[in-house]
Structures are given as C-alpha cells and as structure tokens.
Amino acid sequence: MKKPFVSKEKIEEIVKQYPTPFHIYDEKGIRENARKIKEAFSWNKGFREYFAVKATPNPFIINILKEEGCGADCSSMTELMLVEALGMKNDDIMFSSNVTPADEYIKAKELGAYINLDDYTHVEFLENAAGIPETICCRYNPGGVFSLGTEIMDNPGDAKYGMTKEQMVSAYKKLMEKGARNFGIHAFLASNTVDNTYYPTLAKILFELAVALKNETGAHISFINLSGGIGVPYTPDKEPNDIMVIGEGVRREYEKILVPEGMDDVAIFTELGRFMLAPYGALITKAIHEKHIYKEYIGVDACAVNLMRPAMYGAYHHITVLGKEDEPCSYKYDVTGSLCENNDKFAIDRMLPKIEMGDYLYIHDAGAHGYSMGYNYNGKLRSAELLLKEDGDVEMIRRAETAKDYFATFDFCDILSGVKY
C-alpha cells in the first residue's frame, strides 16, 4: 500500500500556520531518489540527470536537485529565466522545445545551453536567430508504434516531436557545414512507463542510430539523451520501477552496441520529471462538505486548479484519509472540488474509510505535473507549496495566490481600481 510521508499529527501542526489546501514535498525522499539515479548510471562517466522543470517549476526544488548534481531540462523562456536566476548556465541546461520562438533560441544560446532541435527546418531557423553552436542536439522520432513485448506503449507516428532518420542525417550534415562539431541525440517515445525494460529498449534504438549517424556523416556523438518516460505507479497494485535494474539494462546495451564502435566516450543524459518528484509530493486537502443524492459525495477545499490530472485525463491518484490508514475502506465516494465542471473530481466510486467533516485527505503522487498544471478557472486561486525538510521543519516555498495576484494583469489601467483586497 502507498504510505504518506507525513502524518495526521504533522498536518494538524502545519495547518495552524498554513491552511489547506497545499502541496507539500519531502526533501529527504527527493534527495535520496536523486542519489539513487546517479548511482544507477555511475558506470557512465558523463552521466547527468537534467530535471524536467515543467514537472515542478519551483526554485527551491530545483536548488535541491542542483545540490545533488542535477542539471535542468527547460522548454520555454520563463523556465530558462528561472534556472538562470539560480546560477545555472552552459552544460547545466538542456533546452528541449518545439515550435520554438526565435527569442527562446537566442536566450538558450546566450546561456550556453545544450540546444535540442525538434525539426530539420529549425537548423536554418536557429542559424538566422542565434547562430549554430559547436555542440548541438537533434530529436529523433522513429515513427510507427512503440511497444514493449506485446503491449503498445505509445504511437510516435502520431507525435509532433522529432525528426525521421533521414532528416537526422540531413540535419547533421547541414549542421556540420555550419560549424557544429559535437552532436547529441534525443528521443521520447513513451510517457509514464512502469516497466524496467523501457529505457534499455529506447537506449538500443538510439545507440544503433548513433552508430549509423556516425558512419553516414562522420559526426562525433558526444551524448545521448534518453529523455523522460520512466514513470511511477499511481495505483497501489503496481510495482515501482527499479532504477538500478534500468541503469544496468542501459549499460548492457551501451557495451554491446557503442563500445565495439569505439564510442565509449558517449555520455548518457536523462530528463526525468515524474520519476524524480511525483512520489515525493502530495496535495493535502480537507473535507468540508458531504452530499447524499444518487451517489455519496465528499467535497474538499481543493479542486482541479490544484491538481488537474484526474479531471483532464481521468488519471488515478491514490487517496489516504490521514489518521484512518488502518480502517477498512468500506464507503464508496466521489471526492470532488468546487469548480463549475462535473469532471472536477479527485476520485470516482472510490472505496475509502468513512470520512468525517474536517478529515484531511492526502492525495498521493502529486509532486510532478501537480501544481505546475494549475490554472485560474472560476477565479480560483492556486495554493501554497511547502517543503518538509530533512530535519522535520516545514518551510513555505511558494505562497498561496491572492486576489491581488489574480487581478495583477489589469494593472495597466484603473478599470478595477475599486477592487478591495
């Protein structure tokens, strides 16, 4: 079963200062996980994890990972600005974007970031916008359907990302003509896999591509970025990925394919977000209403503004009623927020212990793509983010939004000057 990293007693202490709802992150878990992935790939001297900023764009979290040796994977101007403010530059940053505006390429080039081109036409676009750097990366899309064994994992042929093999060859040749000397390969073929064979399978595809590109173009391949895709088990019946097994699987493919080709200097990069943060963050919310009509409803003080994955994807997030971990789950509820949308539900027909008003619900695996996907529909305001530090103290790492924040984009005029905060 999934276990919360914070107790009911601790939450009761926290809410005296920080009212629900809020996201809370486990510093100890984050650091231990970052060290484990580094250990899993320690066989590769150039290995580095580039944390996917989009998953949890909080400078306090990014700083923790920076202290553990991680870089940052950025995909927008504001993400570049965020990591720049934290003192990150040059090979600390991987810039992987698509449909990229010129000013973002200019910023990435100024920072000395690794630039990952999503399309062949971006070669000329980048040259005109910012010039071609000596080290450049290109994103690969093999097309078709990607499967592990008999299970279809995703459909790259329908994805907007990356280049065909032929375009990769042409891009490398064109980039070499324009002064590029070192190359990277990047690909993302499946999302949130809970299968230890995904990364080794992807690695085999990219390692074979690297050999072909070297042979056909003469390019020096400096690094291969396996991107994200290693997921977490959102449901309690699934086993989590074993990063040590995954790292060993990639090592075997590396030694089988790259080493015989004299490519044993190729660095391995990863761009994990969900795996790095999801289990180490939770959304804490309080039961404030109950409703008994055709179904049994529990209304909480959080809503899809705070965690939109269930509303957007029908995604499952496990729920623990704090203090009732050992009670039988004998009551069936829909757990809902207050938005004027019927899909604003954290759980549907979920078996849980009997919930009383005032109970605290711990919504698991909200550390990645949780707060970051928030929005302001219905004029709802996003909640605070807190950090449970290794010594047990709690630090606010983002305050809750206020009405003043909501109206801030009208500060160019006085149409709302009568708003009283």
Side-chain angles (χ1 to χ4, degrees):
M1 287 296 295
K2 290 180 174 289
K3 294 182 178 180
F5 59 76
V6 66
S7 66
K8 176 188 176 184
E9 292 72 26
K10 188 66 175 180
I11 292 299
E12 289 175 333
E13 176 187 329
I14 293 170
V15 297
K16 292 175 183 176
Q17 185 172 4
Y18 306 109
T20 55
F22 53 76
H23 287 262
I24 188 167
Y25 304 93
D26 176 21
E27 180 182 5
K28 184 173 184 290
I30 293 168
R31 289 189 184 277
E32 289 177 350
N33 193 48
R35 292 167 190 170
K36 196 166 184 180
I37 190 171
K38 192 173 181 180
E39 179 186 356
F41 287 88
S42 60
W43 52 267
N44 182 262
K45 63 183 180 182
F47 172 77
R48 197 168 192 193
E49 156 61 18
Y50 287 83
F51 172 64
V53 172
K54 66 179 76 66
T56 316
N58 187 296
F60 291 85
I61 298 295
I62 297 167
N63 253 340
I64 289 172
L65 294 171
K66 179 185 173 187
E67 290 171 2
E68 296 298 335
C70 298
D73 159 41
C74 298
S75 58
S76 70
M77 176 64 81
T78 48
E79 289 181 358
L80 288 169
M81 293 167 65
L82 172 59
V83 301
E84 179 187 24
L86 297 176
M88 302 179 85
K89 59 184 179 180
N90 299 328
D91 61 2
D92 292 331
I93 307 169
M94 173 69 66
F95 183 61
S96 296
S97 64
N98 67 96
V99 195
T100 310
D103 62 341
E104 295 186 2
Y105 274 142
I106 292 168
K107 183 67 173 178
K109 180 84 171 341
E110 287 176 352
L111 289 174
Y114 290 127
I115 294 175
N116 182 26
L117 296 179
D118 182 66
D119 186 68
Y120 175 74
T121 63
H122 286 213
V123 175
E124 187 173 343
F125 187 88
L126 174 62
E127 181 183 34
N128 293 336
I132 302 298
E134 280 200 2
T135 300
I136 190 80
C137 185
C138 292
R139 190 171 189 171
Y140 175 56
N141 183 331
V145 173
F146 177 73
S147 62
L148 293 175
T150 59
E151 184 180 2
I152 294 175
M153 306 302 292
D154 218 324
N155 190 349
D158 283 343
K160 66 175 181 175
Y161 309 112
M163 311 181 200
T164 66
K165 180 184 175 183
E166 293 74 19
Q167 288 173 334
M168 292 283 287
V169 171
S170 297
Y172 270 37
K173 289 179 177 178
K174 193 169 187 178
L175 287 162
M176 290 172 72
E177 292 172 1
K178 297 178 181 297
R181 295 291 175 264
N182 302 297
F183 291 83
I185 301 172
H186 176 286
F188 177 85
L189 301 189
S191 178
N192 194 40
T193 62
V194 189
D195 189 316
N196 291 331
T197 65
Y198 168 63
Y199 249 23
T201 301
L202 172 62
K204 181 177 186 294
I205 292 170
L206 297 188
F207 294 167
E208 290 174 345
L209 175 65
V211 172
L213 288 170
K214 184 197 76 165
N215 291 338
E216 291 185 46
T217 69
H220 174 247
I221 312 296
S222 296
F223 64 85
I224 294 175
N225 189 331
L226 301 177
S227 188
I230 299 178
V232 298
Y234 284 99
T235 57
D237 58 315
K238 290 182 180 176
E239 288 295 318
N241 282 304
D242 187 329
I243 197 63
M244 301 305 293
V245 171
I246 291 170
E248 175 61 18
V250 174
R251 183 194 65 79
R252 285 196 298 269
E253 297 298 337
Y254 188 97
E255 294 190 353
K256 186 190 305 180
I257 299 169
L258 294 182
V259 172
E261 294 289 332
M263 300 175 70
D264 56 352
D265 62 338
V266 175
I268 300 299
F269 295 165
T270 56
E271 286 177 352
L272 300 171
R274 199 185 313 264
F275 179 81
M276 297 299 289
L277 255 295
Y280 312 107
L283 174 60
I284 308 297
T285 183
K286 183 168 67 173
I288 59 173
H289 284 290
E290 56 186 322
K291 185 170 185 175
H292 316 283
I293 49 172
Y294 308 106
K295 302 179 77 171
E296 294 296 301
Y297 294 93
I298 295 295
V300 298
D301 59 3
C303 62
V305 162
N306 309 105
L307 179 65
M308 73 181 298
R309 295 186 72 255
M312 185 175 185
Y313 304 124
Y316 179 99
H317 279 263
H318 198 62
I319 296 175
T320 295
V321 183
L322 292 175
K324 298 183 177 181
E325 290 87 346
D326 297 324
E327 293 187 15
C329 295
S330 50
Y331 292 81
K332 184 187 290 186
Y333 297 112
D334 280 16
V335 179
T336 78
S338 59
L339 293 187
C340 299
E341 293 289 340
N342 196 47
N343 67 349
D344 181 21
K345 297 180 178 182
F346 294 109
I348 298 173
D349 294 333
R350 185 75 59 87
M351 299 304 297
L352 293 165
K354 182 173 178 55
I355 298 176
E356 309 288 347
M357 296 304 93
D359 280 348
Y360 293 106
L361 276 61
Y362 177 109
I363 303 180
H364 291 257
D365 300 315
H369 309 290
Y371 183 97
S372 66
M373 294 177 72
Y375 57 112
N376 290 118
Y377 181 61
N378 267 178
K380 294 292 185 177
L381 304 175
R382 283 173 287 193
S383 54
E385 291 182 292
L386 309 178
L387 180 66
L388 178 64
K389 303 181 79 172
E390 289 187 290
D391 62 7
D393 287 346
V394 172
E395 177 184 8
M396 181 170 67
I397 59 174
R398 191 195 304 261
R399 66 166 173 79
E401 287 183 335
T402 67
K404 189 173 183 179
D405 297 317
Y406 182 77
F407 295 121
T409 49
F410 296 102
D411 60 4
F412 64 92
C413 64
D414 61 2
I415 192 169
L416 292 178
S417 58
V419 172
K420 294 182 173 51
Y421 298 111

